[in-house]
Amino acid sequence: MKRTSLTVLVLALGVFGIITTEMGMVGVLPQVSAELGVAPSAAGWLVGVFALVIAVSGPFTTLLASGVDRKKVLAAAIAVFAVSNAVYAVTSQYEVMLAFRIVPALFHPVFFAVALATAARMVPAEDATRATTTVFGGVTVGFAFGVPLSSYLAEHVSLASAFWFAALVNLAAFLGILRFVPAMPVGRRMSYGAQLGILGRSRTWLTIVSVVLVFAAMFSVYGYFAEYLGQVTHMDGTWVSAMLMAFGIVMIAGNFAFGALLRRSLIGTAVAYPVLCLAVYVLLYVVGPSFAPMVVAVLVWGAVHSGGLVVSQSWLGRDATDAPEFGNSLFISFSNLGITVGTAVGGWVMSDYGTRRLTCAGAVFAVAAVLVMGLRLGMDRIGARRVPAPPDPAGPVLGEVRAASRESS
């Protein structure tokens, strides 16, 4: 059991390294633009192309890796992230850095999909949600500490030091995988057709649409966190940085709180999540111009925001029990699509209607998510009614007598 716990923690460390690589670039873009001599818009592609590659390639790269020993897949993927960060640290060519943003993005959904499935597989069924929640803890710790620390190193030490930090984290995860993750050869590999078969179910597509809407609800507002606090609440840069750090720290606790709620009721927690998002956005709109109440509201916001990852992954996992790794890759891809949609709509709302109206965009997406989830659950109820009743063990004649007796009574 101790080795199993160490394995799950190593996988969480790998996720932390990947998030630090993916999102840490956001905090160092000004230094990248200056040192590589490119416009800020060009530097921004180092972030945008990463998410785009994940959204487009995720399910396909996961399918291609489905027949390979799980330990080898995890080790190879995290090694690519370590090498890519080392390249960022030493290169002075924008084209080289862009290429090495594309390469790890191809492995990002593979690592996530396999890590989540591996964590769930290595523990008893009743502990699967706790294990995946721990792995997702790497995401929240990455937001809370990995991204701010990368930004601090780039600002106060050097840009290269930020990338070397991420490289060392990924290298530590690589060594941990070699040491603590057992060999997991694929005994009976599912065919590509069998894995793709889950996409032939209409209920799966409703679940996928709801995941996209949940992430759009989350990131249509969170994507402009600094702008909202700066323009609506009138916080300065120091306060915004402090709020980002507090937001990330609260996310760590919130992640495990939502994991506990999911163990009690997966469906209830999943449907309640966008409702909580809606409530938070109403709160942000009301207290946005007020400094002290907004500080408290940010903490509430972070606690709710943290649940989006584990809740959405568990919700989609209901429709992918026969192909969990492929299902996880769908989650990674379509959640990134939701991030793209949400930030695009949020940017449009902010430019046309003002920054305070960002919360309205998030609220609309949250309501849409609840409606689609309701349709999805409605399909479950219809399917349950269509299941024929088992035959009466007493036989048709005695069964009819019993039915008549019940009617007469």
Side-chain angles (χ1 to χ4, degrees):
M1 183 60 69
K2 183 178 180 181
R3 182 183 178 91
T4 299
S5 299
L6 286 172
T7 300
V8 173
L9 290 175
V10 165
L11 296 176
L13 178 64
V15 169
F16 170 75
I18 286 176
I19 290 298
T20 301
T21 302
E22 178 185 7
M23 303 306 298
M25 186 65 74
V26 174
V28 301
L29 281 181
Q31 291 85 0
V32 169
S33 178
E35 293 207 14
L36 271 60
V38 297
S41 59
W45 271 103
L46 296 171
V47 177
V49 75
F50 201 102
L52 183 61
V53 170
I54 292 171
V56 172
S57 69
F60 306 105
T61 52
T62 304
L63 278 176
L64 291 174
S66 61
V68 183
D69 185 303
R70 308 289 81 191
K71 178 175 182 174
K72 293 179 180 178
V73 170
L74 291 168
I78 205 69
V80 167
F81 274 82
V83 171
S84 296
N85 277 287
V87 171
Y88 305 155
V90 300
T91 188
S92 59
Q93 300 295 318
Y94 171 78
E95 294 78 11
V96 173
M97 188 175 287
L98 183 64
F100 276 86
R101 291 294 284 176
I102 294 173
V103 173
L106 293 170
F107 287 84
H108 177 289
V110 178
F111 186 91
F112 262 88
V114 175
L116 290 169
T118 299
R121 189 180 296 128
M122 294 191 69
V123 298
E126 62 271 16
D127 293 330
T129 299
R130 181 180 289 108
T132 55
T133 300
T134 301
V135 174
F136 271 125
V139 176
T140 54
V141 175
F143 275 103
F145 298 107
V147 175
L149 184 54
S150 295
S151 179
Y152 178 86
L153 289 172
E155 179 70 26
H156 297 281
V157 183
S158 68
L159 177 62
S161 67
F163 294 136
W164 282 122
F165 163 68
L168 287 173
V169 171
N170 286 289
L171 177 60
F174 171 76
L175 296 175
I177 288 169
L178 293 183
R179 174 66 179 83
F180 295 109
V181 176
M184 291 179 287
V186 179
R188 181 176 176 272
R189 183 176 70 86
M190 291 182 66
S191 67
Y192 294 155
Q195 295 180 73
L196 289 168
I198 66 175
L199 293 177
R201 309 166 187 164
S202 55
R203 65 178 185 271
T204 301
W205 282 105
L206 282 175
T207 302
I208 287 172
V209 170
S210 66
V211 168
V212 172
L213 291 170
V214 165
F215 272 80
M218 293 166 61
F219 284 86
S220 58
V221 186
Y222 175 75
Y224 302 95
F225 184 97
E227 286 83 354
Y228 195 86
L229 295 185
Q231 297 178 26
V232 178
T233 315
H234 305 296
M235 291 185 179
D236 60 22
T238 301
W239 268 101
V240 171
S241 297
M243 288 295 94
L244 273 170
M245 178 70 77
F247 189 95
I249 292 173
V250 171
M251 278 184 66
I252 298 174
N255 175 69
F256 290 98
F258 273 101
L261 291 173
L262 285 167
R263 289 194 293 275
R264 291 185 178 184
S265 174
L266 192 158
I267 294 175
T269 303
V271 175
Y273 182 77
V275 177
L276 289 172
C277 287
L278 176 61
V280 165
Y281 294 149
V282 171
L283 174 65
L284 294 178
Y285 183 83
V286 171
V287 306
S290 304
F291 196 100
M294 190 60 184
V295 171
V296 177
V298 165
L299 300 178
V300 177
W301 183 11
V304 172
H305 187 87
S306 67
L309 293 166
V310 67
V311 168
S312 297
Q313 187 270 338
S314 300
W315 173 245
L316 182 53
R318 294 175 66 243
D319 290 332
T321 53
D322 46 348
E325 290 178 4
F326 183 63
N328 286 334
S329 72
L330 292 175
F331 163 70
I332 298 300
S333 291
F334 283 100
S335 61
N336 274 273
L337 177 61
I339 292 171
T340 303
V341 171
T343 52
V345 172
W348 167 69
V349 169
M350 186 170 62
S351 62
D352 284 16
Y353 299 98
T355 304
R356 194 178 180 190
R357 302 285 183 182
L358 278 171
T359 56
C360 298
V364 170
F365 280 125
V367 170
V370 173
L371 294 176
V372 174
M373 285 179 166
L375 288 174
R376 170 66 186 84
L377 293 175
M379 294 189 70
D380 282 345
R381 289 191 291 270
I382 292 172
R385 286 199 297 267
R386 287 178 178 174
V387 175
D392 193 314
V397 176
L398 186 54
E400 291 175 6
V401 171
R402 287 179 175 173
S405 176
R406 284 194 297 270
E407 291 177 2
S408 62
S409 61

